[in-house]
Amino acid sequence: MSSMYNAGMHSKSLEVLKSIFGYDSFRGHQSEIIESAISGEDTLVLMPTGGGKSLCYQIPSLIRPGVGIVISPLIALMQDQVNAMQQLGVHAAFLNSSLDATQQKLIEKQLVDGQLDLLYLAPERLVKEQTLTLLSKIDLALFAIDEAHCVSQWGHDFRSDYLTLNLLTERFPDVPRMALTATADQRTRKEIVHRLSLGQAKFFISGFDRPNIRYAISNKTNAKKQLLAFLQNRRGEAGVVYCLSRKKVEDTAAWLCTQGFTALPYHAGLSPQMREYHQNRFLREDGVIITATIAFGMGIDKPDVRFVAHLDLPKSIEAYYQETGRAGRDGQAAEAWMVYGLQDVVRLQQMQASNVSSEQFKRSERNKLDSMLGFCEDTKCRRQLLLNYFGDDAPEHCGNCDNCQIPPETWDATEAAQKVLSCVYRTGQRFGVVHTIDVLLGKETDKVKQFEHQKLSTYGIGRDISESQWRSVMRQLVVRGLLQVDVDGYGGLLLTDECRLVLRGEQNLLLRKDNVAASKIGGKRKSYKTPVQAEHQILWDDLRECRKRLADECNVPPYLIFHDATLKEMIDSRPMSRMDMLTITGVGQNKLDKYAADFIEVICNHAERES
Ligand code: ADP
Ligand code: ZN
């Protein structure tokens, strides 16, 4: 039966891409994936966030006879996805617990009458006998299993309902299945194949890289000041600022508001109504900043998040990559910015130590944190480090991270390290960073006098280096495991076995120079592109205003009307007719009919004023 669709299939999918979605060409593996699905094959699709997974099942659902069933774990996202489809003029609906009986009946009727192209279902709904019976009565184009990694018991998003999806093979042997995910190391991948019986499926694996995201990490000196410098050129842009604690989330939001930003807190301690309200404002208004704990993110599909800032260190590279990955889904330039300091390291280590869990679990958590710290301190290209960590190849230089743009210097810190280590030793391995530095700098503090540390041979031997440099040295010694923080006690510093070689002068130590200038780069970099050039600012604002008005009328987020990239293309090519409009990326037939006139009016008015 597959050959039936083969003839002219490629041109058919291209035609759909253009007329419905308004896009000119496929990206990456999209075209092959779509062809496979149309010809009835099972597929496994691994693509990074923003890679364009949705099109892979949407287009075959439109082209194959019958309805495409999309299985998604996030009920909260279904409305958004269905809205997006309806904006394109596609007949889509969802069935979940948020609908009342009458609404459900209506959708079931549409389904049976063949009026739907796409139906979104949560897995627990799908595997109900009632649903299965309903589906067996109609033509099915395919099953798309979104977020397929939820089937993995090792992953952090495990859903037991996903395990039952196996029954699709028995109940619907002739309907092609497509499993899609953005997070898949080898182990998860194997599990998906095994648990969803995808042994016969074709694999389409794209790299993890997110080339439009710029990575930058610097040492924390004054976090608020650093954040402000970073945000200064980004007024009016949407972003997320992650903090570790609820209190800090609240404080940071309040403080950003005093600085003239629209910032809203989000954490698990807020009421569900409040969280939803803040999330909706973030989705629907332009330029809102969300300050959040890690409770925020899953289920946010906002494509135009321009930056993700971390004021505290994530506990693993996996977490860092997932959180920063929420920036720039639309493929436009975005920033992953972070500041971190020794205090973060100590706090995370303490949190891990106080966790009641098995030794094995603790060790694995500890290893993950160590990898994260090593990543922060490394002088190599950030992207290369990240991709290698996930098992992908990468070029040595990406040119779009802080380490590539301003290569960090290193210095021979052997002598400095020896001073720190012997000072820790002589003070009895019971004091923390602050006191150790006081002794090195020869400060006459009460504590120094109380313990008579002015009599030690290490008192004042570190006056050649500044306090912030000492902090940098100590942070790096902790990260490299030459010093250990006594996390069970009061945060005193301890020597480790590994430090002996350095202490005895048998090993040289190269450390990263903390570049004070580099921490400001995020704020005033020449290579950072503001969304539009200054001379286009007025038109840009007018177009955004028009988009916001239309979005409010339809009660959807602005990005469902047009993406930023589409508005930017309008600025570049100034379409003044429907014909011109159709050439703009992201303008398909339905949106042309609904919105083109409004935007053409804005552009024409602008042209008149300019002439
Ligand atoms: P994912 O689910 O992989 O994170 P999406 O399916 O949401 O990604 O796609 C990300 C964005 O890229 C969407 O806004 C989508 O419309 C856009 N996109 C996808 N494919 C193309 C394409 N071939 N040309 C232009 N834009 C595309
Ligand atoms: Zn790089």
Short mmCIF file of all heavy atoms in Angstrom, two decimals, residues 394-450:
data_model
loop_
_atom_site.label_atom_id
_atom_site.label_comp_id
_atom_site.label_asym_id
_atom_site.label_seq_id
_atom_site.Cartn_x
_atom_site.Cartn_y
_atom_site.Cartn_z
N ALA A 394 32.73 17.50 17.67
CA ALA A 394 32.56 18.93 17.51
C ALA A 394 33.87 19.55 17.09
O ALA A 394 34.94 19.04 17.42
CB ALA A 394 32.12 19.55 18.83
N PRO A 395 33.81 20.63 16.32
CA PRO A 395 35.06 21.31 15.97
C PRO A 395 35.68 21.95 17.20
O PRO A 395 35.01 22.17 18.21
CB PRO A 395 34.61 22.38 14.97
CG PRO A 395 33.14 22.50 15.12
CD PRO A 395 32.63 21.24 15.72
N GLU A 396 36.98 22.24 17.11
CA GLU A 396 37.70 22.80 18.25
C GLU A 396 37.19 24.17 18.66
O GLU A 396 37.23 24.54 19.82
CB GLU A 396 39.19 22.97 17.88
CG GLU A 396 39.90 21.70 17.54
CD GLU A 396 40.87 21.31 18.62
OE1 GLU A 396 41.53 22.22 19.15
OE2 GLU A 396 40.94 20.11 18.94
N HIS A 397 36.78 24.93 17.64
CA HIS A 397 36.32 26.29 17.91
C HIS A 397 34.96 26.52 17.31
O HIS A 397 34.76 26.27 16.12
CB HIS A 397 37.29 27.30 17.29
CG HIS A 397 38.52 27.47 18.09
ND1 HIS A 397 38.63 28.39 19.10
CD2 HIS A 397 39.69 26.80 18.05
CE1 HIS A 397 39.82 28.29 19.65
NE2 HIS A 397 40.49 27.33 19.03
N CYS A 398 34.04 27.02 18.11
CA CYS A 398 32.72 27.30 17.55
C CYS A 398 32.59 28.77 17.20
O CYS A 398 31.77 29.15 16.38
CB CYS A 398 31.63 26.90 18.54
SG CYS A 398 31.42 28.02 19.94
N GLY A 399 33.41 29.61 17.83
CA GLY A 399 33.33 31.04 17.56
C GLY A 399 32.13 31.71 18.19
O GLY A 399 31.92 32.91 18.05
N ASN A 400 31.31 30.96 18.91
CA ASN A 400 30.11 31.53 19.51
C ASN A 400 29.99 31.17 20.99
O ASN A 400 28.93 30.82 21.49
CB ASN A 400 28.86 31.07 18.74
CG ASN A 400 27.63 31.90 19.06
OD1 ASN A 400 27.74 33.06 19.45
ND2 ASN A 400 26.46 31.31 18.90
N CYS A 401 31.14 31.25 21.69
CA CYS A 401 31.12 31.07 23.14
C CYS A 401 32.21 31.98 23.71
O CYS A 401 33.07 32.46 22.98
CB CYS A 401 31.36 29.62 23.54
SG CYS A 401 33.05 29.04 23.40
N ASP A 402 32.14 32.22 25.00
CA ASP A 402 33.11 33.15 25.60
C ASP A 402 34.55 32.67 25.42
O ASP A 402 35.44 33.45 25.09
CB ASP A 402 32.78 33.40 27.08
CG ASP A 402 32.68 32.11 27.89
OD1 ASP A 402 32.68 31.02 27.29
OD2 ASP A 402 32.60 32.20 29.13
N ASN A 403 34.79 31.37 25.61
CA ASN A 403 36.17 30.87 25.50
C ASN A 403 36.73 30.99 24.09
O ASN A 403 37.93 31.15 23.91
CB ASN A 403 36.24 29.42 25.96
CG ASN A 403 36.19 29.30 27.47
OD1 ASN A 403 36.20 30.32 28.18
ND2 ASN A 403 36.12 28.09 27.98
N CYS A 404 35.86 30.89 23.08
CA CYS A 404 36.32 31.07 21.71
C CYS A 404 36.55 32.55 21.41
O CYS A 404 37.50 32.92 20.74
CB CYS A 404 35.30 30.54 20.72
SG CYS A 404 35.40 28.76 20.46
N GLN A 405 35.64 33.39 21.91
CA GLN A 405 35.72 34.80 21.54
C GLN A 405 36.81 35.55 22.30
O GLN A 405 37.45 36.43 21.75
CB GLN A 405 34.34 35.46 21.74
CG GLN A 405 33.37 34.95 20.69
CD GLN A 405 31.93 35.35 20.95
OE1 GLN A 405 31.56 35.67 22.09
NE2 GLN A 405 31.11 35.32 19.92
N ILE A 406 37.00 35.19 23.54
CA ILE A 406 38.10 35.77 24.30
C ILE A 406 38.81 34.64 25.02
O ILE A 406 38.45 34.29 26.13
CB ILE A 406 37.58 36.79 25.33
CG1 ILE A 406 36.78 37.86 24.60
CG2 ILE A 406 38.73 37.41 26.10
CD1 ILE A 406 36.26 38.93 25.50
N PRO A 407 39.79 34.04 24.33
CA PRO A 407 40.44 32.87 24.93
C PRO A 407 40.99 33.21 26.32
O PRO A 407 41.72 34.19 26.47
CB PRO A 407 41.57 32.55 23.95
CG PRO A 407 41.13 33.17 22.67
CD PRO A 407 40.34 34.38 23.03
N PRO A 408 40.61 32.45 27.33
CA PRO A 408 41.07 32.76 28.68
C PRO A 408 42.56 32.46 28.82
O PRO A 408 43.08 31.54 28.20
CB PRO A 408 40.24 31.81 29.55
CG PRO A 408 39.72 30.76 28.64
CD PRO A 408 39.73 31.29 27.24
N GLU A 409 43.21 33.26 29.61
CA GLU A 409 44.62 33.02 29.85
C GLU A 409 44.79 32.07 31.01
O GLU A 409 43.93 31.98 31.88
CB GLU A 409 45.32 34.34 30.18
CG GLU A 409 45.41 35.27 29.00
CD GLU A 409 45.95 36.62 29.43
OE1 GLU A 409 46.97 36.66 30.15
OE2 GLU A 409 45.33 37.63 29.06
N THR A 410 45.91 31.38 31.01
CA THR A 410 46.22 30.55 32.18
C THR A 410 47.51 31.08 32.80
O THR A 410 48.25 31.83 32.16
CB THR A 410 46.42 29.08 31.80
OG1 THR A 410 47.36 29.01 30.74
CG2 THR A 410 45.11 28.46 31.34
N TRP A 411 47.78 30.74 34.02
CA TRP A 411 49.01 31.17 34.66
C TRP A 411 49.54 30.04 35.53
O TRP A 411 48.79 29.16 35.95
CB TRP A 411 48.80 32.45 35.47
CG TRP A 411 47.77 32.33 36.59
CD1 TRP A 411 46.45 32.08 36.43
CD2 TRP A 411 48.01 32.46 37.99
NE1 TRP A 411 45.83 32.06 37.65
CE2 TRP A 411 46.76 32.30 38.63
CE3 TRP A 411 49.15 32.73 38.77
CZ2 TRP A 411 46.62 32.37 40.02
CZ3 TRP A 411 48.99 32.81 40.15
CH2 TRP A 411 47.73 32.63 40.77
N ASP A 412 50.83 30.06 35.78
CA ASP A 412 51.43 29.03 36.62
C ASP A 412 51.14 29.37 38.08
O ASP A 412 51.73 30.30 38.64
CB ASP A 412 52.94 28.95 36.37
CG ASP A 412 53.54 27.78 37.12
OD1 ASP A 412 52.94 27.33 38.12
OD2 ASP A 412 54.62 27.30 36.70
N ALA A 413 50.23 28.63 38.66
CA ALA A 413 49.78 28.95 40.02
C ALA A 413 50.37 27.99 41.04
O ALA A 413 49.86 27.86 42.16
CB ALA A 413 48.27 28.91 40.07
N THR A 414 51.44 27.30 40.66
CA THR A 414 52.00 26.30 41.56
C THR A 414 52.35 26.91 42.93
O THR A 414 51.97 26.39 43.98
CB THR A 414 53.27 25.68 40.94
OG1 THR A 414 52.99 25.37 39.57
CG2 THR A 414 53.67 24.42 41.68
N GLU A 415 53.07 28.05 42.88
CA GLU A 415 53.51 28.65 44.14
C GLU A 415 52.31 29.14 44.96
O GLU A 415 52.24 28.93 46.17
CB GLU A 415 54.45 29.81 43.83
CG GLU A 415 55.36 30.16 44.98
CD GLU A 415 56.16 31.43 44.66
OE1 GLU A 415 56.83 31.46 43.61
OE2 GLU A 415 56.08 32.38 45.46
N ALA A 416 51.38 29.78 44.27
CA ALA A 416 50.18 30.27 44.97
C ALA A 416 49.44 29.12 45.62
O ALA A 416 49.00 29.20 46.77
CB ALA A 416 49.27 31.01 44.00
N ALA A 417 49.32 28.02 44.88
CA ALA A 417 48.60 26.86 45.43
C ALA A 417 49.32 26.32 46.65
O ALA A 417 48.70 25.98 47.66
CB ALA A 417 48.50 25.78 44.36
N GLN A 418 50.66 26.30 46.57
CA GLN A 418 51.43 25.81 47.74
C GLN A 418 51.16 26.69 48.96
O GLN A 418 51.03 26.19 50.07
CB GLN A 418 52.93 25.79 47.42
CG GLN A 418 53.31 24.66 46.47
CD GLN A 418 54.70 24.80 45.90
OE1 GLN A 418 55.29 25.90 45.93
NE2 GLN A 418 55.23 23.71 45.36
N LYS A 419 51.08 27.99 48.73
CA LYS A 419 50.82 28.90 49.86
C LYS A 419 49.47 28.59 50.49
O LYS A 419 49.32 28.52 51.70
CB LYS A 419 50.86 30.35 49.38
CG LYS A 419 52.26 30.86 49.08
CD LYS A 419 52.22 32.30 48.60
CE LYS A 419 53.65 32.78 48.26
NZ LYS A 419 53.63 34.11 47.65
N VAL A 420 48.44 28.42 49.64
CA VAL A 420 47.10 28.12 50.15
C VAL A 420 47.12 26.82 50.92
O VAL A 420 46.64 26.74 52.06
CB VAL A 420 46.08 28.01 49.00
CG1 VAL A 420 44.74 27.50 49.53
CG2 VAL A 420 45.88 29.35 48.32
N LEU A 421 47.69 25.81 50.31
CA LEU A 421 47.65 24.48 50.92
C LEU A 421 48.38 24.46 52.26
O LEU A 421 47.89 23.89 53.24
CB LEU A 421 48.25 23.45 49.95
CG LEU A 421 47.45 23.25 48.64
CD1 LEU A 421 48.22 22.39 47.63
CD2 LEU A 421 46.08 22.64 48.90
N SER A 422 49.53 25.12 52.31
CA SER A 422 50.22 25.08 53.59
C SER A 422 49.53 25.95 54.63
O SER A 422 49.54 25.65 55.82
CB SER A 422 51.71 25.41 53.47
OG SER A 422 51.89 26.56 52.71
N CYS A 423 48.86 27.00 54.18
CA CYS A 423 48.11 27.83 55.12
C CYS A 423 46.93 27.04 55.70
O CYS A 423 46.66 27.11 56.91
CB CYS A 423 47.63 29.11 54.44
SG CYS A 423 46.97 30.32 55.58
N VAL A 424 46.27 26.29 54.85
CA VAL A 424 45.16 25.44 55.34
C VAL A 424 45.71 24.43 56.34
O VAL A 424 45.12 24.17 57.40
CB VAL A 424 44.47 24.73 54.15
CG1 VAL A 424 43.54 23.62 54.64
CG2 VAL A 424 43.70 25.73 53.31
N TYR A 425 46.86 23.88 56.03
CA TYR A 425 47.46 22.88 56.91
C TYR A 425 47.82 23.48 58.27
O TYR A 425 47.48 22.96 59.32
CB TYR A 425 48.70 22.29 56.23
CG TYR A 425 49.39 21.25 57.06
CD1 TYR A 425 48.80 20.00 57.29
CD2 TYR A 425 50.64 21.52 57.66
CE1 TYR A 425 49.43 19.05 58.08
CE2 TYR A 425 51.27 20.57 58.45
CZ TYR A 425 50.66 19.34 58.65
OH TYR A 425 51.26 18.40 59.44
N ARG A 426 48.50 24.67 58.22
CA ARG A 426 48.97 25.27 59.47
C ARG A 426 47.84 25.79 60.35
O ARG A 426 47.98 25.87 61.56
CB ARG A 426 49.95 26.41 59.18
CG ARG A 426 51.11 25.96 58.37
CD ARG A 426 52.44 26.51 58.86
NE ARG A 426 53.48 26.00 57.96
CZ ARG A 426 54.15 24.88 58.18
NH1 ARG A 426 53.97 24.18 59.28
NH2 ARG A 426 55.05 24.46 57.31
N THR A 427 46.72 26.19 59.73
CA THR A 427 45.61 26.66 60.56
C THR A 427 44.77 25.48 61.07
O THR A 427 43.75 25.67 61.72
CB THR A 427 44.70 27.63 59.79
OG1 THR A 427 44.39 27.06 58.52
CG2 THR A 427 45.36 28.98 59.58
N GLY A 428 45.17 24.27 60.74
CA GLY A 428 44.54 23.11 61.37
C GLY A 428 43.38 22.49 60.59
O GLY A 428 42.61 21.72 61.15
N GLN A 429 43.22 22.85 59.31
CA GLN A 429 42.17 22.28 58.46
C GLN A 429 40.80 22.38 59.09
O GLN A 429 40.03 21.42 59.13
CB GLN A 429 42.48 20.81 58.13
CG GLN A 429 43.85 20.61 57.51
CD GLN A 429 44.03 19.22 56.93
OE1 GLN A 429 43.28 18.80 56.06
NE2 GLN A 429 45.03 18.51 57.41
N ARG A 430 40.50 23.54 59.65
CA ARG A 430 39.16 23.69 60.23
C ARG A 430 38.52 25.02 59.86
O ARG A 430 37.40 25.28 60.23
CB ARG A 430 39.25 23.55 61.75
CG ARG A 430 40.40 24.34 62.38
CD ARG A 430 40.61 23.87 63.79
NE ARG A 430 39.61 24.44 64.67
CZ ARG A 430 39.91 25.19 65.73
NH1 ARG A 430 41.17 25.43 66.06
NH2 ARG A 430 38.96 25.66 66.50
N PHE A 431 39.23 25.88 59.11
CA PHE A 431 38.67 27.18 58.75
C PHE A 431 38.25 27.23 57.28
O PHE A 431 38.74 26.46 56.46
CB PHE A 431 39.68 28.29 59.04
CG PHE A 431 40.00 28.39 60.50
CD1 PHE A 431 41.09 27.72 61.03
CD2 PHE A 431 39.17 29.11 61.34
CE1 PHE A 431 41.36 27.78 62.39
CE2 PHE A 431 39.43 29.18 62.69
CZ PHE A 431 40.54 28.51 63.22
N GLY A 432 37.36 28.16 57.00
CA GLY A 432 36.86 28.28 55.64
C GLY A 432 37.68 29.24 54.79
O GLY A 432 38.77 29.67 55.18
N VAL A 433 37.13 29.58 53.65
CA VAL A 433 37.83 30.38 52.67
C VAL A 433 38.18 31.78 53.18
O VAL A 433 39.31 32.25 53.03
CB VAL A 433 36.94 30.54 51.40
CG1 VAL A 433 37.59 31.45 50.39
CG2 VAL A 433 36.67 29.18 50.79
N VAL A 434 37.21 32.42 53.83
CA VAL A 434 37.40 33.81 54.23
C VAL A 434 38.58 33.96 55.19
O VAL A 434 39.48 34.77 54.99
CB VAL A 434 36.11 34.36 54.89
CG1 VAL A 434 36.33 35.78 55.39
CG2 VAL A 434 34.96 34.31 53.89
N HIS A 435 38.59 33.13 56.21
CA HIS A 435 39.67 33.23 57.19
C HIS A 435 41.01 32.86 56.57
O HIS A 435 42.03 33.52 56.83
CB HIS A 435 39.37 32.34 58.40
CG HIS A 435 40.41 32.44 59.47
ND1 HIS A 435 40.60 33.60 60.21
CD2 HIS A 435 41.34 31.55 59.91
CE1 HIS A 435 41.60 33.41 61.06
NE2 HIS A 435 42.07 32.17 60.90
N THR A 436 41.02 31.84 55.76
CA THR A 436 42.28 31.44 55.13
C THR A 436 42.87 32.59 54.31
O THR A 436 44.07 32.86 54.37
CB THR A 436 42.05 30.21 54.22
OG1 THR A 436 41.37 29.20 54.97
CG2 THR A 436 43.36 29.65 53.71
N ILE A 437 42.00 33.29 53.59
CA ILE A 437 42.50 34.43 52.81
C ILE A 437 42.99 35.54 53.73
O ILE A 437 44.03 36.17 53.47
CB ILE A 437 41.40 34.94 51.84
CG1 ILE A 437 41.11 33.86 50.78
CG2 ILE A 437 41.83 36.24 51.16
CD1 ILE A 437 40.04 34.22 49.78
N ASP A 438 42.26 35.79 54.83
CA ASP A 438 42.70 36.80 55.80
C ASP A 438 44.12 36.52 56.29
O ASP A 438 44.96 37.42 56.40
CB ASP A 438 41.74 36.85 56.99
CG ASP A 438 40.42 37.53 56.63
OD1 ASP A 438 40.38 38.19 55.56
OD2 ASP A 438 39.45 37.39 57.39
N VAL A 439 44.39 35.24 56.57
CA VAL A 439 45.72 34.88 57.05
C VAL A 439 46.76 35.09 55.95
O VAL A 439 47.81 35.68 56.18
CB VAL A 439 45.74 33.41 57.55
CG1 VAL A 439 47.16 32.99 57.94
CG2 VAL A 439 44.78 33.22 58.72
N LEU A 440 46.41 34.65 54.74
CA LEU A 440 47.35 34.83 53.63
C LEU A 440 47.68 36.29 53.39
O LEU A 440 48.81 36.66 53.09
CB LEU A 440 46.76 34.23 52.34
CG LEU A 440 46.76 32.71 52.23
CD1 LEU A 440 45.87 32.25 51.08
CD2 LEU A 440 48.20 32.19 52.00
N LEU A 441 46.65 37.14 53.55
CA LEU A 441 46.85 38.57 53.30
C LEU A 441 47.41 39.30 54.52
O LEU A 441 47.68 40.50 54.46
CB LEU A 441 45.54 39.22 52.86
CG LEU A 441 44.98 38.78 51.50
CD1 LEU A 441 43.63 39.41 51.24
CD2 LEU A 441 45.96 39.13 50.38
N GLY A 442 47.54 38.57 55.62
CA GLY A 442 48.08 39.18 56.84
C GLY A 442 47.15 40.20 57.45
O GLY A 442 47.59 41.27 57.90
N LYS A 443 45.86 39.91 57.48
CA LYS A 443 44.90 40.84 58.08
C LYS A 443 44.80 40.60 59.58
O LYS A 443 44.84 39.47 60.04
CB LYS A 443 43.52 40.65 57.45
CG LYS A 443 43.40 41.18 56.05
CD LYS A 443 41.94 41.28 55.67
CE LYS A 443 41.80 41.62 54.19
NZ LYS A 443 40.45 41.40 53.71
N GLU A 444 44.63 41.71 60.30
CA GLU A 444 44.54 41.57 61.75
C GLU A 444 43.09 41.50 62.21
O GLU A 444 42.58 42.39 62.87
CB GLU A 444 45.18 42.79 62.43
CG GLU A 444 46.68 42.73 62.46
CD GLU A 444 47.26 43.90 63.25
OE1 GLU A 444 46.98 44.00 64.46
OE2 GLU A 444 47.95 44.72 62.62
N THR A 445 42.39 40.44 61.86
CA THR A 445 41.00 40.33 62.27
C THR A 445 40.92 39.73 63.67
O THR A 445 41.91 39.23 64.21
CB THR A 445 40.23 39.39 61.31
OG1 THR A 445 40.79 38.07 61.46
CG2 THR A 445 40.36 39.82 59.87
N ASP A 446 39.72 39.83 64.26
CA ASP A 446 39.52 39.26 65.60
C ASP A 446 39.85 37.77 65.61
O ASP A 446 40.46 37.26 66.54
CB ASP A 446 38.06 39.45 66.04
CG ASP A 446 37.76 40.92 66.28
OD1 ASP A 446 38.73 41.71 66.38
OD2 ASP A 446 36.56 41.28 66.34
N LYS A 447 39.41 37.11 64.56
CA LYS A 447 39.63 35.66 64.49
C LYS A 447 41.12 35.34 64.43
O LYS A 447 41.59 34.42 65.09
CB LYS A 447 38.91 35.11 63.26
CG LYS A 447 38.31 33.74 63.45
CD LYS A 447 37.49 33.41 62.22
CE LYS A 447 36.75 32.11 62.33
NZ LYS A 447 35.87 31.90 61.18
N VAL A 448 41.84 36.15 63.65
CA VAL A 448 43.28 35.95 63.56
C VAL A 448 43.90 36.07 64.94
O VAL A 448 44.68 35.22 65.37
CB VAL A 448 43.91 36.97 62.58
CG1 VAL A 448 45.42 37.00 62.73
CG2 VAL A 448 43.55 36.61 61.13
N LYS A 449 43.50 37.14 65.65
CA LYS A 449 44.08 37.36 66.98
C LYS A 449 43.68 36.25 67.94
O LYS A 449 44.50 35.71 68.68
CB LYS A 449 43.63 38.72 67.53
CG LYS A 449 44.35 39.89 66.87
CD LYS A 449 43.95 41.20 67.53
CE LYS A 449 43.73 42.27 66.47
NZ LYS A 449 42.70 43.23 66.82
N GLN A 450 42.38 35.89 67.89
CA GLN A 450 41.87 34.87 68.80
C GLN A 450 42.65 33.56 68.69
O GLN A 450 42.96 32.93 69.69
CB GLN A 450 40.39 34.64 68.48
CG GLN A 450 39.71 33.62 69.38
CD GLN A 450 38.32 33.26 68.83
OE1 GLN A 450 37.77 33.95 67.97
NE2 GLN A 450 37.75 32.19 69.35
#
